[in-house]
Amino acid sequence: MRDIWQAKQADRALRTLDAEDMIILSGLLSDAVRRIAPAAALGTFADLTMTLIGAAVRHAITVPPNQARRALALFKSMLPRSLATVI
């Protein structure tokens, strides 16, 4: 996985594809939380959330499996229990 991620970072077309994918994923997240979040904050929240998730996963694929599991578990524990406290 680390080699795939590094190759993606080095290739402009793959970086563009990743950015386009992030836009789609942010849109899906926005649709999912639209019912409970104020419209003004929704787009920014979705973009930042997808960026943080992507960064956590990319970090996890660059470290040994045990460390990756610990890092992802810690990341999950850092997420808010309620969106009401964030948005």
Side-chain angles (χ1 to χ4, degrees):
M1 290 300 292
R2 186 177 321 163
D3 293 338
I4 293 170
W5 180 74
Q6 289 173 339
K8 194 251 336 157
Q9 291 300 102
D11 185 275
R12 180 177 288 174
L14 289 176
R15 282 194 319 263
T16 300
L17 183 63
D18 185 51
E20 292 168 353
D21 188 49
M22 189 66 67
I23 290 168
I24 291 168
L25 293 173
S26 292
L28 291 172
L29 181 60
S30 292
D31 292 344
V33 282
R34 181 167 279 118
R35 294 178 293 261
I36 60 170
L42 188 58
T44 301
F45 171 78
D47 290 346
L48 289 172
T49 300
M50 294 311 301
T51 299
L52 291 172
I53 291 169
V57 170
R58 284 189 295 275
H59 169 71
I61 64 175
T62 65
V63 297
N66 287 339
Q67 187 178 348
R69 282 190 286 280
R70 284 192 307 272
L72 291 175
L74 178 59
F75 176 74
K76 288 178 188 178
S77 74
M78 293 169 52
L79 296 174
R81 298 281 182 241
S82 169
L83 292 177
T85 63
V86 183
I87 299 177

